[in-house]
Amino acid sequence: MSSRPAPQIGFSFEYMMWIFTRISGLVMYLLAFIGIVMAFVMGARQQVDIGALARWTFFPNPNHVVDTNIPDVTLGWSNAWWQVMEMLMLFFAVTHGLNGVRVVVEDYMRNSWARALGRGVIFLLWIFMLIFGIYVILAS
Amino acid sequence: MEVTLRIFRYNPENGKKPHYEEYKVTAEPTDRVLDLLEYIKGNFDGTLSFRRSCAHGICGSDAMRINGHNRLACKLLVKDLHGGKITIEPILGLRVIKDLIVDMEPFFENYRSVLPYLINDEPAPKKERLQSSEERERFDDTTKCILCACCTTSCPSFWVNEQYVGPAAIVTAHRFIFDSRDRGAAERLKILSGQFGVYRCHTIFNCTEACPREIEVTQAIGEVKKAIATGDLG
């Protein structure tokens, strides 16, 4: 009797976001780890200070490490690798964070209209931050 | 020993605002809080209202907030409160009807929403639906629930929104989802994966702390989340 069929529960937005929160948390650690390792490989081990290293980890913008000897400082985000890295970090951080705010809205807004409004504002904010972030990455 | 009880009082019929009243009583350390309430009702104020039935921790009627923790008044001894002052209030998150009595209907509405009964449309065997000891053990913890509402009314998510099914309903769902004789797991998991299902739980653990039956409530909720994620009912 223990061989009961696995239940098919269909699509659940709450479940998708719950699992996304966990996976994106791990992915952000991975991206930060790759950033830190690459900074060291590029020469940060000789000169970069801890603050610059932290900024590089979460926001690999060459302006953050100008006073260090990371060699491709001048390349900026025109380097496709760092563009992709930063876009991934942007997507996961913004979506992870705003989903957290959405959960607060779902928890604490009792009126269905207020909840709908909260969700709408968060969705627009999400779109705006992604577009604006991508623009900054590509234009700088 | 001398004990001061500070009790929440509210009577919608006398026009007074909700307030606290103090009663000084002499108590044995081994008296239960329920004994003190009975004493006050019998000797000081017959209008004091609270629910009680079996008085032995099984019926789940006398859940109340004692010194800030949800407890059964019939299971809590005076000596375990470590002090001469005891504050007694109705459980939170439900409408107060009178004194310590709350409207339990939203709680039971949530309970009913998770289909709290065995679902199995397969033809019944001649004698009975057999189950091994291991299969019975799988959901043993959650069979202990007495629906006192201590857990659900200690949950901040429920305080905010009583549409959240709450820990007690999830515990009941767990009891059937992991029962090898039941076939309604998919239906229940679909309900619990919705907007007011298990994802309103943020593992605060108030429910586990509050449960007078010592059910590992947060773990049960975690197991339901896992069943939704993996489809594994093992």
Side-chain angles (χ1 to χ4, degrees), chain B residues 69-136:
Chain B
H69 297 274
N70 284 2
R71 296 287 183 263
L72 295 183
C74 60
K75 278 193 87 169
L76 190 61
L77 303 185
V78 171
K79 64 175 180 180
D80 293 329
L81 286 163
H82 307 296
K85 194 155 188 176
I86 303 171
T87 302
I88 304 177
E89 299 157 301
I91 44 179
L92 297 180
L94 295 167
R95 187 178 62 87
V96 175
I97 296 173
K98 189 184 176 193
D99 294 341
L100 303 174
I101 298 177
V102 296
D103 177 11
M104 297 281 279
E105 188 44 35
F107 172 79
F108 284 114
E109 201 178 314
N110 288 330
Y111 170 71
R112 288 190 294 268
S113 76
V114 300
L115 318 174
Y117 38 79
L118 191 89
I119 298 172
N120 192 333
D121 292 334
E122 294 165 9
K126 273 188 184 157
K127 270 188 167 177
E128 56 189 312
R129 296 184 198 277
L130 287 174
Q131 187 169 51
S132 71
S133 313
E134 293 75 30
E135 286 168 340
R136 175 61 178 73

Side-chain angles (χ1 to χ4, degrees), chain A residues 32-82:
Chain A
F33 180 74
I34 293 172
I36 246 177
V37 168
M38 301 252 335
F40 277 125
V41 168
M42 290 186 299
R45 65 188 179 284
Q46 287 159 14
Q47 203 177 326
V48 74
D49 62 83
I50 189 72
L53 191 65
R55 290 194 294 278
W56 180 268
T57 304
F58 295 105
F59 207 62
N61 179 339
N63 292 328
H64 288 156
V65 282
V66 284
D67 55 351
T68 71
N69 63 348
I70 290 181
D72 65 348
V73 153
T74 50
L75 291 175
W77 279 333
S78 59
N79 180 323
W81 166 265
W82 292 117

Side-chain angles (χ1 to χ4, degrees), chain B residues 12-61:
Chain B
E13 287 168 1
N14 71 7
K16 278 192 198 167
K17 284 184 177 172
H19 60 284
Y20 291 86
E21 277 178 30
E22 290 198 354
Y23 306 87
K24 282 187 170 46
V25 295
T26 308
E28 293 293 323
T30 50
D31 277 343
R32 302 166 302 171
V33 173
L34 181 64
D35 296 326
L36 304 188
L37 288 172
E38 298 275 23
Y39 185 80
I40 291 166
K41 188 177 174 68
N43 295 282
F44 296 143
D45 187 350
T47 67
L48 176 63
S49 305
F50 53 89
R51 286 197 181 101
R52 58 89 82 196
S53 186
C54 80
H56 286 78
I58 285 299
C59 73
S61 302

Side-chain angles (χ1 to χ4, degrees), chain A residues 1-2 4-9 12 14-15 18 103 106-108 110 115 119, chain B residues 130 135 160-161 177 179 182-183 186 189-190 193 195 199-200 202 228-229 231:
Chain A
M1 284 233 241
S2 58
R4 284 188 293 161
Q8 302 290 320
I9 58 165
S12 162
E14 289 284 348
Y15 166 63
W18 182 77
V103 169
E106 302 283 355
D107 280 351
Y108 288 99
R110 301 176 60 142
R115 217 184 287 133
R119 284 185 197 140
Chain B
L130 287 174
E135 286 168 340
V160 172
N161 192 342
I177 288 168
D179 186 333
D182 186 84
R183 296 290 177 270
L189 291 176
K190 193 171 175 59
S193 67
Q195 190 190 355
Y199 299 112
R200 296 276 71 78
H202 304 302
I228 291 171

